[in-house]
Amino acid sequence: MDRPRIIVTAVVLALLGAIVPIVAMFHFSWVLALQEEHDRLALFANLAIARADISLRDATEALREIDRFASDRCSDGHIARMRQLTINTRAIEEMGYFENGLLKCTSWGPTEGSVAQTAPDFTTRDGVAVTARMLPLANHDHPLMALRYKDHNVLVDPVRFVDVIVDPGIQLALATNQGILLGTLNGPDSARIGRIIAGPGKGLDDGHLFATARGADWIAVASEPESQIVDSVRRQRLLLLPLGAFIAAFAIGTVVWLSRRRLSPLRELQIAVRKREFIVHYQPIVELRTGRCIGAEALVRWRRPDGSLVRPDLFIPLAEESGLIAAITDQVVAHVVLDLNRLLVANRSLHIAINLGPADVETARILPVIEKALQHTGIRPRQIWLEATERGFVNIDSARSTLIRARELGHAVAIDDFGTGYSSLSHLEGLPLDALKIDKSFIDTIATNSATSSVTPHIIDMAKTLKLKIVAEGVETQAQADYLLERDVDYGQGWLFAKPMPAAEFIAYYGKMKQSA
């Protein structure tokens, strides 16, 4: 994934990380507030059931009590006892006695006229016949509930069954298990109550939240307008939004952290290694005396997916520090074989120099890699020069062992960028080297009055003493080339001769130089 896509993805994820938790908290605050309100409504509905059961129990006990009364029915004593039970039982409005199906007397006294028993709507488990709604003789505008046990009945105001203290805005309704509405508190709509009773235990109907409770004989419904939930939602949001903000901040922080990791130089380099984004350019090495091209140095380049090239000095140090240089070197070896196989087989005097990282110089890991890469290609080991910088000689014994093994395999070995590290003449004398490359920083001082201009001839003399081939790097002017030629430097490399170039251009360059030689 390239940088623009990573940035776009990070921005999208960051926005989602900021928005989703907040939206989720808004949603959860509504869900939790809804659950809280439903639980509260269910509590009131259960209180209504409990209140209805108490009223039914009290009325039933009064009926059983009067049934056990031993005096003659409708006598003064019987009527007085009915009146006493009516007064003492909060749920009862009136008590009466039926004989042969007709009302004979009530707690108010003997009755006149013919009042017949009504057919009950249902009978409780205790044997009490219940008529949900009937009109008493005294008040035809206020229906009451009739409860009958054997020959006695009581009239109960349905409000007594829902006589519960509720919060403002709460509406209660009580119905039989058969769906007959018995009583209401705070006036809920009967049609809505009918739908609720026939539906689920809680929910939202016609702008009202509701919850139901079911008892042995009753169904209670508690409801409230949906607007009543606003305060609860606000309270939940006050609790949840800080959590949402924390989650959003954490999500954004995580995205930023991951993006930075993804966009960090090391992460980008890891991706480049995995995707094999490295290519090789070849800078010719020429013989100063004849101008003939005798080889080239393989210089790694990082080509991004957009085609841009990253300079080696921007990623090689990081690659060496992170250990990725080994994988990059392996890719360089593979490119050299793929790019120049035919050219090297056709021109045995031509060589390609490959740079080794300090770890490879110390461990010799690269040698079997090169050996395997050259198998069945026809390329000879002596056509592959190995260049090691002075930084690879920290462990001089391990370095010596690696270079000895490299020469045994047939490779020529050169010390690269000489003079920029800490190699001494004694170190060089103990190492199996074939060539020494003078760093460009010393070539730049030729014919100048800089403090280091006198170092270059000393390096040349040192290499000659050790009988090493000398390659001057970074030759850019004819004056530099003439100076080096005067001092019998063998080879030159630099923009005076040719810049680093892709394989196809190098092959064409070599062919042209060979024809003109």
Side-chain angles (χ1 to χ4, degrees):
M1 183 179 291
D2 55 24
R3 181 177 290 267
R5 288 178 61 194
I6 292 175
I7 292 174
V8 170
T9 301
V11 170
V12 171
L13 290 177
L15 289 175
L16 289 175
I19 294 172
V20 170
I22 301 298
V23 172
M25 291 306 106
F26 270 88
H27 173 70
F28 288 145
S29 65
W30 168 258
V31 171
L32 291 176
L34 202 62
Q35 181 62 47
E36 183 180 85
E37 288 302 301
H38 278 139
D39 291 344
R40 193 165 70 98
L41 292 172
L43 174 63
F44 287 123
N46 279 294
L47 288 175
I49 290 291
R51 181 61 191 151
D53 287 342
I54 291 173
S55 297
L56 177 63
R57 184 192 65 208
D58 291 347
T60 300
E61 288 179 355
L63 286 169
R64 292 183 184 279
E65 177 69 21
I66 195 63
D67 182 64
R68 290 193 295 268
F69 189 72
S71 177
D72 293 337
R73 300 308 190 224
C74 291
S75 65
D76 291 342
H78 180 233
I79 292 173
R81 183 56 179 158
M82 287 194 295
R83 184 179 301 120
Q84 183 183 30
L85 289 172
T86 300
I87 294 172
N88 293 339
T89 307
R90 185 169 181 267
I92 297 175
E93 300 293 327
E94 181 180 316
M95 181 177 286
Y97 171 73
F98 285 84
E99 187 174 275
N100 298 322
L102 296 176
L103 182 63
K104 186 175 182 181
C105 61
T106 71
S107 53
W108 298 101
T111 59
E112 297 179 358
S114 178
V115 179
Q117 289 180 342
T118 57
D121 294 313
F122 68 97
T123 302
T124 69
R125 292 176 301 171
D126 294 331
V128 176
V130 179
T131 302
R133 301 173 69 83
M134 65 169 294
L135 296 176
L137 295 176
N139 187 355
H140 288 273
D141 295 327
H142 186 62
L144 298 178
M145 181 190 307
L147 306 177
R148 177 165 51 84
Y149 179 74
K150 296 185 179 178
D151 293 327
H152 289 86
N153 82 334
V154 294
L155 298 181
V156 178
D157 190 339
V159 173
R160 300 297 186 190
F161 278 62
V162 288
D163 189 10
V164 177
I165 298 175
V166 296
D167 294 339
I170 301 294
Q171 301 173 342
L172 283 179
L174 185 73
T176 68
N177 282 330
Q178 291 74 28
I180 302 171
L181 185 63
L182 299 178
T184 62
L185 181 67
N186 297 330
D189 179 74
S190 58
R192 174 160 46 84
I193 296 301
R195 291 195 301 271
I196 292 173
I197 291 174
K202 62 181 179 180
L204 182 66
D205 182 87
D206 194 23
H208 283 72
L209 300 174
F210 69 85
T212 63
R214 294 180 181 270
D217 301 298
W218 328 106
I219 301 174
V221 177
S223 65
E224 66 177 347
E226 187 179 4
S227 58
Q228 293 285 107
I229 200 175
V230 172
D231 289 340
S232 181
V233 170
R234 187 180 296 112
R235 184 170 60 255
Q236 292 293 345
R237 284 177 181 172
L238 288 175
L239 294 174
L240 291 177
L241 283 182
L243 175 62
F246 172 78
I247 295 173
F250 178 78
I252 293 172
T254 301
V255 169
V256 171
W257 179 73
L258 290 174
S259 300
R260 284 180 175 175
R261 278 196 64 189
R262 189 77 173 175
L263 293 172
S264 68
L266 176 58
R267 182 57 179 163
E268 286 193 289
L269 191 60
Q270 290 171 334
I271 294 172
V273 169
R274 188 178 73 247
K275 292 187 174 182
R276 305 185 70 84
E277 294 178 358
F278 296 94
I279 61 172
V280 176
H281 283 185
Y282 302 89
Q283 185 167 34
I285 301 173
V286 302
E287 189 176 43
L288 291 176
R289 182 175 55 83
T290 64
R292 181 173 60 92
C293 177
I294 55 91
E297 180 180 1
L299 300 172
V300 66
R301 297 289 185 267
W302 177 3
R303 182 168 61 193
R304 293 180 178 276
D306 62 3
S308 62
L309 294 178
V310 181
R311 299 198 318 268
D313 59 307
L314 296 179
F315 67 86
I316 290 296
L318 179 60
E320 291 181 348
E321 178 183 346
S322 63
L324 293 173
I325 191 65
I328 295 175
T329 303
D330 292 352
Q331 292 185 31
V332 170
V333 171
H335 274 293
V336 169
V337 172
L338 181 65
D339 293 342
L340 303 180
N341 192 346
R342 294 178 60 183
L343 182 67
L344 290 171
V345 170
N347 299 274
R348 294 301 184 184
S349 62
L350 187 67
H351 80 269
I352 301 297
I354 296 176
N355 293 283
L356 302 185
D360 280 336
V361 175
E362 184 172 347
T363 64
R365 179 205 68 87
I366 191 62
L367 297 181
V369 174
I370 296 175
E371 187 176 16
K372 183 177 180 180
L374 297 184
Q375 286 180 354
H376 312 300
T377 64
I379 300 173
R380 294 173 181 172
R382 66 180 177 83
Q383 293 182 276
I384 302 298
W385 285 26
L386 303 180
E387 296 186 0
T389 63
E390 292 181 84
R391 289 177 289 111
F393 301 148
V394 175
N395 188 331
I396 196 69
D397 293 331
S398 297
R400 183 184 297 110
S401 175
T402 297
L403 300 185
I404 289 173
R405 177 58 182 157
R407 296 185 81 194
E408 289 174 351
L409 291 173
H411 302 294
V413 178
I415 181 170
D416 193 15
D417 299 335
F418 182 78
T420 61
Y422 40 79
S423 294
S424 64
L425 180 59
S426 61
H427 279 172
L428 291 179
E429 287 178 330
L431 291 173
L433 298 172
D434 298 286
L436 180 149
K437 300 187 76 171
I438 305 174
D439 187 70
K440 179 182 185 300
S441 61
F442 297 108
I443 302 301
D444 289 341
T445 65
I446 292 176
T448 68
N449 294 321
S450 67
T452 58
S453 60
S454 61
V455 176
T456 305
H458 290 296
I459 294 175
I460 294 173
D461 292 339
M462 184 187 300
K464 288 181 178 179
T465 300
L466 297 174
K467 296 182 173 52
L468 301 177
K469 295 289 186 180
I470 304 173
V471 182
E473 293 184 304
V475 180
E476 296 181 350
T477 67
Q478 189 60 48
Q480 293 171 343
D482 293 341
Y483 176 92
L484 296 168
L485 188 58
E486 288 174 6
R487 285 158 180 77
D488 295 324
V489 173
D490 302 289
Y491 308 116
Q493 176 183 348
W495 280 49
L496 177 64
F497 312 110
K499 66 179 181 179
M501 58 190 76
E505 292 184 23
F506 172 71
I507 293 171
Y509 167 87
Y510 181 78
K512 182 178 179 181
M513 294 292 290
K514 188 175 181 181
Q515 290 177 0
S516 61

